[in-house]
Amino acid sequence: MNPLQAENLAQDPRVAEAKRLLRAALLDHQQPLTGIRPPRADRKTSYEQSLKRLEEIRGNPLYFPYLGSGFGRGPLVELADGSVKYDFITGIGVHFLGHSHPDLLEAGVDAALQNTVMQGNLQQNRDGLELIDSLLQGANHLGGRFAHGILCSSGAMANENALKIALQKRHPAARILAFNHGFAGRTLALSQITDKPAYREGLPSTIAVDYVPFFNPEKPEESARAAREILRGHLRSHPGVHAGMFFEFIQGEAGGYAAGNAEFFRGLMEELKAAGIPVIADEIQTLGRTGELFAFQYFGLGDFVDVVTLGKMTQACAALYTAEMRPKPGLISQTYTASTSAIRAGLHVIKTLLHQGYLGPEGRIARVSKRLRDGLIDLERRHPEWVRGPFGLGAMIAFTPFDGSADRVTALSKTLFEMGVIAFTAGSNPARLRFLPPVGAMENTDIDVVLEILENALERCSEGKG
């Protein structure tokens, strides 16, 4: 076949040379970023003014005084005040390959050569097809049954699409099942499913939700029996009116990185299947962090899942669903699916995960997880009054500092920020500090440096100096 003009442009030697020069320039300017740096005095006033203006525009204060320069080097990110910090929360899981990755620079150049900034319902380019097809193949690798999928621009939109697919499939059923302490999003509908009342304060009730208790690792068999019995109770109380159940395999925002096990999830899914209720796997945060591409694959649950949502590290988000769940035309159509740059970045991330040794019990994810977890275990051994944990699974890691009170965990996170490490809180009663490290950009030395800073921050906060 004769090449298309788009293909001629992509293969133009000037484009290849431009990519080479940009990559070389990026790598050269990354060289000085070798570790944590304090803010620059000459940037202090302008930085504070910018932060103040941003807070005025938002109408609420920022959690961290963070305004990025748009540049970094792997796990290190540069702020607009000239400071450099270790980013161990990665935008709550977005920068899986770290900051300013040279391969993502090239993906961005490829995206910039295309004429569509945002792809969508009427105009999806070939790379959009390639991404959704790659996601389907990855999801079906270990027993998944997914036939269809649609890209979207946010994790919340992916979960909204999943919710609508389930509601339409089970119409007129209009109730949803979810876990206590689960998080599905903050839209008008998803805030009802998220088990955090503060996120729906002042909002009208849009959908009825019945909650099921999550797994308790201290009482695995007992908690599994209790969850199944409560699920059966909901099904008896509201026969035939549940449209689906949302599953977070590792509870994030609200649950503090509590992880279940395969037996617990399988038992509930068997009950749901017997009742004809769809299983929705929310993998917005778990994608690519458990040692398999999807957490449902890690737990061996591919036969049960009807809809799976994903996002964060892939930049472009998506909902994948089985042939039986295919919606009617128009239900999940949208103007924008994602930007071309997000789609190109997502393609690179998925190919990296699948083909560069990240997955499996000996993969990079498992090795990074072990190094960081071992460090936290050692901290708990030496300072049991400071640390309990770790919790979570794979590259979703959390621990309970001190007494787990929200005030003390928040104080620790802000002390860490001042000392050059970005982490974030999760859960309540107890509250925890969580890490979503940039697995694709870390060395053991980076983990060791962060653990040392964490110990110093814990000591400072234990003395009331945080």
Side-chain angles (χ1 to χ4, degrees):
M1 292 186 293
N2 293 326
L4 302 173
Q5 285 306 117
E7 293 164 345
N8 286 332
L9 173 60
Q11 295 164 10
D12 190 301
R14 291 170 292 182
V15 170
E17 178 65 5
K19 286 183 178 181
R20 186 190 70 77
L21 291 171
L22 285 169
R23 190 182 188 98
L26 174 67
L27 294 174
D28 284 347
H29 287 282
Q30 284 181 326
Q31 292 307 310
L33 299 186
T34 57
I36 293 169
R37 285 183 186 171
R40 286 173 40 177
D42 63 324
R43 298 270 176 169
K44 183 176 186 295
T45 300
S46 63
Y47 189 72
E48 290 176 351
Q49 290 172 343
S50 296
L51 287 173
K52 183 179 179 181
R53 181 57 182 150
L54 179 56
E55 289 184 339
E56 290 172 349
I57 291 169
R58 284 166 51 101
N60 283 297
L62 300 169
Y63 186 85
F64 291 127
Y66 182 107
L67 193 62
S69 73
F71 190 70
R73 181 186 185 186
L76 296 166
V77 61
E78 181 186 63
L79 275 59
D81 63 356
S83 64
V84 176
K85 300 180 186 294
Y86 272 103
D87 184 3
F88 264 47
I89 196 61
T90 57
I92 315 185
V94 176
H95 301 286
F96 184 76
L97 297 181
H99 292 273
S100 300
H101 194 290
D103 290 347
L104 295 186
L105 169 67
E106 291 197 23
V109 171
D110 291 333
L113 294 175
Q114 298 190 21
N115 73 324
T116 305
V117 175
M118 296 292 289
Q119 298 186 33
N121 178 46
L122 293 183
Q123 294 183 323
Q124 193 77 59
N125 293 347
R126 290 183 298 178
D127 44 20
L129 168 62
E130 186 180 355
L131 176 57
I132 200 71
D133 202 22
S134 296
L135 291 169
L136 285 168
Q137 291 178 35
N140 290 332
H141 174 58
L142 295 173
R145 303 173 293 112
F146 304 99
H148 310 287
I150 186 168
L151 297 176
C152 57
S153 55
S154 73
M157 195 68 237
N159 275 347
E160 283 277 346
N161 285 338
L163 179 61
K164 290 195 293 183
I165 288 169
L167 287 166
Q168 187 182 77
K169 175 67 176 178
R170 291 277 292 168
H171 179 77
R175 299 183 77 89
I176 290 294
L177 292 151
F179 285 119
N180 292 122
H181 309 300
F183 181 88
R186 301 175 196 249
T187 66
L188 192 58
L190 296 178
S191 63
Q192 309 296 314
I193 299 170
T194 294
D195 187 20
K196 206 156 185 177
Y199 291 173
R200 53 180 178 269
E201 184 177 349
L203 302 180
S205 178
T206 57
I207 191 167
V209 182
D210 296 312
Y211 291 104
V212 175
F214 197 68
F215 180 71
N216 182 348
E218 297 178 0
K219 299 177 180 179
E221 295 181 3
E222 181 180 328
S223 67
R225 285 194 300 270
R228 289 184 74 164
E229 186 52 44
I230 289 174
L231 174 61
R232 290 172 186 149
H234 289 319
L235 301 185
R236 287 193 299 268
S237 298
H238 307 286
V241 298
H242 288 100
M245 181 167 178
F246 272 78
F247 280 78
E248 268 187 303
F249 300 107
I250 306 169
Q251 293 193 313
E253 171 77 19
Y257 284 10
N261 68 19
E263 292 73 23
F264 174 81
F265 295 126
R266 186 175 292 110
L268 294 173
M269 290 180 180
E270 287 171 352
E271 298 282 345
L272 295 167
K273 287 299 177 184
I277 298 171
V279 171
I280 302 167
D282 176 354
E283 302 241 15
I284 306 298
Q285 193 165 161
T286 51
L287 178 79
R289 289 194 174 270
T290 61
E292 295 295 344
L293 185 60
F294 291 90
F296 76 77
Q297 295 170 326
Y298 175 87
F299 289 114
L301 302 169
D303 289 343
F304 293 99
V305 179
D306 299 291
V307 184
V308 60
T309 58
L310 59 99
K312 288 192 181 291
M313 71 169 61
T314 49
Q315 318 297 308
C317 305
L320 312 178
Y321 41 96
T322 64
E324 295 78 13
M325 298 297 294
R326 185 174 64 181
K328 295 176 183 178
L331 182 74
I332 54 174
S333 176
Q334 53 205 54
T335 303
Y336 297 143
T337 52
S339 69
T340 301
S341 57
I343 289 169
R344 288 276 183 170
L347 263 172
H348 182 77
V349 170
I350 291 298
K351 290 177 180 179
T352 298
L353 282 167
L354 291 175
H355 305 300
Q356 293 189 21
Y358 278 73
L359 305 180
E362 304 299 324
R364 183 180 180 87
I365 294 168
R367 295 195 305 272
V368 167
S369 175
K370 185 177 187 305
R371 185 81 173 201
L372 186 48
R373 288 172 188 279
D374 284 351
L376 290 171
I377 290 168
D378 180 60
L379 260 176
E380 182 184 34
R381 178 185 61 79
R382 292 185 290 110
H383 301 288
E385 72 281 11
W386 293 355
V387 172
R388 281 180 288 137
F391 303 96
L393 188 68
M396 294 176 66
I397 302 167
F399 70 94
T400 303
F402 308 119
D403 61 356
S405 65
D407 288 346
R408 296 198 75 181
V409 178
T410 297
L412 174 62
S413 69
K414 295 190 175 185
T415 298
L416 274 172
F417 185 87
E418 292 173 6
M419 296 175 71
V421 175
I422 308 172
F424 198 39
T425 59
S428 59
N429 299 317
R432 290 173 177 159
L433 194 83
R434 60 173 154 164
F435 295 120
L436 283 166
V439 174
M442 296 168 56
E443 303 295 336
N444 285 340
T445 51
D446 298 314
I447 298 173
D448 296 342
V449 168
V450 168
L451 286 168
E452 182 179 354
I453 294 169
L454 173 61
E455 184 169 2
N456 292 334
L458 285 162
E459 181 177 16
R460 180 190 293 185
C461 290
S462 73
E463 297 171 350
K465 299 176 182 177

